[in-house]
Amino acid sequence: MSTSADAAGRSPRAPERGMDPRAARSRAAALAAAQELLVEQGWAAVTHVAVAARSGVGRTTLYRHWPDSPSLIYEAIAQRIASARPARTGKLRDDLIAQLNGLRALLHDPVGERGMRVVIERAGVDPAFAELKESLYQAGSGGFRVIIERAKESGELPGGLDTELAIDQLAGPLMFHRLLAERTFGAEYVHSVVDAFLAANLPRRKG
Amino acid sequence: MSTSADAAGRSPRAPERGMDPRAARSRAAALAAAQELLVEQGWAAVTHVAVAARSGVGRTTLYRHWPDSPSLIYEAIAQRIASARPARTGKLRDDLIAQLNGLRALLHDPVGERGMRVVIERAGVDPAFAELKESLYQAGSGGFRVIIERAKESGELPGGLDTELAIDQLAGPLMFHRLLAERTFGAEYVHSVVDAFLAANLPRRKG
C-alpha cells in the first residue's frame, strides 16, 4: 500500500506534490467525509457509496484514488494519526512528557481515537491494517525508544533497563485509560505516569 | 441485553438452567462456530447465515436464541472472557500477580484476544458492545480495585495512591504489549510489571 509513508511522518493534509488543485480538493473532501463516517458509525460504514453521497465526490473519482474500501479507511486514519515529532530537549523527564503528550493528543482527537480502535481490531484480520498498525506502532514507539536508549547511554536510566517494557509502562496506561476505562485525561495524568516510571527506574543513589 | 451476567462472572459454558440437552448442544455448537468465525475473519463475518452453515444449527433456532448479529457476537465473546476470580492470599505482590495472570491468559486465548479487540472497536459505535466492554472492564478492574484498596487500608500502599492510575499502570502495559506491539509474554513479564509498580509506589522506609 503506497500510503504508509503518511503514518511514518508525512505532515497531515499535505496534498500530493503536483496534484491539480481541483483533484486535491476532491481528495480532501472525500477523506473528511470518510473520517466523519468512521467516527459516527465505524469502519464498516466507510464505503465508496456513502463517502460519495456525503462528500459530493463522484464514485469514479473515489475508485481512482482508492480502489477498495480498506485503502480508503486506511488513508482516512493514516492522514490524521501521522505522528507528531516533538522537539527533544535532552532532559529525560521533559522529553518523555512531550512524547506522551503526543499520544494524549491522538487519543483525544475523534478520528485519532477511533482510528486507534479500528487498527487494533482490524489488524488481526486484514493485512493492510496490520501494516498500518505496525507502521503507527513503530512511529509512536520509535520516539520513546530514542529517548530511553539515550538515557541508558548517559546513565540517567539503568543500562539493563528493558526498553520495550519501559515503552509499555509509559504508553500502556494512557491507552488503557482512554480505550478501556473510557476516560479523558489531561497533562497531570501524563506527569503522573512519567513520574511513576522514573520512580521505579531511576538508579538509586546512596546516601 | 440479558447476557451481561456472563461477563459479570457466570462460569463459562454453563447451559441455561432447565434448558433441554438438545437445545443446549445446539447453543454450544453455534457459539463455538461464532467464535471460530470471529477469530478467523473478524466480527463482521459472524452472521446468522455463516454460523448456521458452519455449525449445522438451523437459522430459525439461531434467531430464537439471538435475534440479531450483535447479540450473537456479544455472547460468543462474553462466554469466553467471563472473568476468572483468582483466590486471594492477602499478600499484595502475589495477589497482583494472580490478578494480572488472569489478564495474561485472556490476552493469549484466541477468542479472548479477538474479543478484546472487538469490544475496543465496537464500543464506540454500538451500545450493546459499549455495555459489554463496560461490564468486562468493571469485572476486570474490580479485582485490582479490591486488592489495592485493601493494601491502602493496611498501609502497604500509600493512602493517597490513585487507585485508577494504579490499575492503568498494572493492566495497561499488558494490553499495549499484546494488542499494539503484538507480542506474546509469559509469567516473568507479569512479575516485571508488578515489581515496577511496587518499586514506584511502596512507601519509602527510612534508614
Side-chain angles (χ1 to χ4, degrees), chain A residues 145-160:
Chain A
R145 208 166 280 122
V146 170
I147 297 167
I148 292 165
E149 291 294 335
R150 200 175 47 194
K152 282 162 71 170
E153 279 164 30
S154 72
E156 269 190 287
L157 287 173

Side-chain angles (χ1 to χ4, degrees), chain A residues 43 70 73-74 77 114-137, chain B residues 38-43 113-114 117-118 121 178-182:
Chain A
W43 64 267
I73 299 167
Y74 179 111
I77 295 175
R114 173 125 316 268
M116 290 295 302
R117 294 180 190 271
V118 170
V119 296
I120 285 172
E121 199 270 313
R122 292 280 85 197
V125 286
D126 184 325
F129 283 92
E131 191 197 312
L132 174 59
K133 196 201 59 52
E134 185 58 21
S135 137
L136 292 166
Y137 169 71
Chain B
L38 189 70
V39 170
E40 291 166 17
Q41 299 168 48
W43 65 265
E113 185 211 336
R114 173 123 315 268
R117 293 181 191 272
V118 170
E121 198 271 314
R178 187 79 193 97
L179 302 184
L180 274 294
E182 308 277 343

